[in-house]
Amino acid sequence: MAPELKFVVADDHPLFRGALRQTLAGTAENATILEAGTFAETKTIVSNTDDIDLVLLDLTMPGASGLSGLVALRAINSAAPVVVVSARDDVETIRRAIELGASGFISKSASMDEIRKAVETVLAGGVWIPMDVDLGAEMDPEISDLIQRLQTLTPQQARVLSMIAEGLLNKQIAYELSVSEATVKAHVSAVLQKLNVDSRTQAVIQLSRIGSEAQQVPGS
């Protein structure tokens, strides 16, 4: 018997979740498929579930805040491969998603067969990029610099940054991460230094720069 695979489908559209569930079920005979309709639900599942083989993440589900949601999810569980699924499938979004740690990108206009191939590629350890897409290089030097800085954050630092963006205070972050407030302060200082900013507010503004554009696309 083939080993059981564990998938997380995170999308706020029930019909699309159903289509993804059907595709995943056809990919693996033994599969556990967990579903989430909000980013808060997604974070809870990813935090509390061991041995996740693949997360399919909608960039614009409630609470995800575009690519900043990808950063947050990767920080929570860096071992779980994340494939971004979005109607916004321009080259910039795809490239930035891959650079920020996604294991693949699937357009919502993709066929079920293409989605199946993407899933199989990532499960085999590869990275899936839509066919006929040339990622090229980042044209915005400020975004390029920001992504490079975000890449230097440890998972815990990235998680602290995401929690700051949610409006949590150091005391609340310490409780959520089960660490001391002094440890959180050290993480915050490291985040500010790595992002080359002077305040928590500036750090949140920087993080929002990779999320704002992806949020503006309806139906994605």
Side-chain angles (χ1 to χ4, degrees), residues 6 20 31 35 178 220:
K6 199 175 294 182
L20 288 176
E35 297 185 33
S178 300
S220 61

mmCIF file of all heavy atoms in Angstrom, residues 6 20 31 35 178 220:
data_model
loop_
_atom_site.group_PDB
_atom_site.id
_atom_site.type_symbol
_atom_site.label_atom_id
_atom_site.label_comp_id
_atom_site.label_asym_id
_atom_site.label_seq_id
_atom_site.Cartn_x
_atom_site.Cartn_y
_atom_site.Cartn_z
ATOM 1 N N LYS A 6 -0.726 13.794 2.884
ATOM 2 C CA LYS A 6 -1.520 14.754 3.629
ATOM 3 C C LYS A 6 -1.465 16.109 2.921
ATOM 4 O O LYS A 6 -0.403 16.701 2.772
ATOM 5 C CB LYS A 6 -0.984 14.868 5.058
ATOM 6 C CG LYS A 6 -1.952 15.466 6.070
ATOM 7 C CD LYS A 6 -1.354 15.405 7.467
ATOM 8 C CE LYS A 6 -1.193 13.976 7.954
ATOM 9 N NZ LYS A 6 -0.661 13.939 9.349
ATOM 10 N N LEU A 20 -10.150 21.130 -6.464
ATOM 11 C CA LEU A 20 -8.792 20.761 -6.047
ATOM 12 C C LEU A 20 -8.812 19.444 -5.285
ATOM 13 O O LEU A 20 -7.924 18.595 -5.458
ATOM 14 C CB LEU A 20 -8.187 21.867 -5.177
ATOM 15 C CG LEU A 20 -7.793 23.155 -5.889
ATOM 16 C CD1 LEU A 20 -7.295 24.186 -4.877
ATOM 17 C CD2 LEU A 20 -6.723 22.895 -6.943
ATOM 18 N N ALA A 31 -5.052 9.530 0.583
ATOM 19 C CA ALA A 31 -4.813 10.949 0.821
ATOM 20 C C ALA A 31 -5.762 11.488 1.884
ATOM 21 O O ALA A 31 -6.955 11.208 1.877
ATOM 22 C CB ALA A 31 -4.980 11.745 -0.466
ATOM 23 N N GLU A 35 -9.198 21.063 4.603
ATOM 24 C CA GLU A 35 -9.630 22.265 3.900
ATOM 25 C C GLU A 35 -9.740 23.460 4.839
ATOM 26 O O GLU A 35 -10.098 23.316 6.010
ATOM 27 C CB GLU A 35 -10.982 22.028 3.227
ATOM 28 C CG GLU A 35 -10.944 20.949 2.150
ATOM 29 C CD GLU A 35 -12.271 20.821 1.416
ATOM 30 O OE1 GLU A 35 -12.965 21.846 1.257
ATOM 31 O OE2 GLU A 35 -12.632 19.703 1.018
ATOM 32 N N SER A 178 5.372 30.822 22.942
ATOM 33 C CA SER A 178 5.863 30.158 24.163
ATOM 34 C C SER A 178 7.333 30.485 24.438
ATOM 35 O O SER A 178 8.138 29.602 24.742
ATOM 36 C CB SER A 178 5.664 28.630 24.069
ATOM 37 O OG SER A 178 4.298 28.311 23.924
ATOM 38 N N SER A 220 -9.584 36.288 -7.297
ATOM 39 C CA SER A 220 -8.377 35.480 -7.292
ATOM 40 C C SER A 220 -8.213 34.728 -6.008
ATOM 41 O O SER A 220 -7.272 33.989 -5.852
ATOM 42 C CB SER A 220 -7.146 36.362 -7.518
ATOM 43 O OG SER A 220 -7.014 37.317 -6.502
#
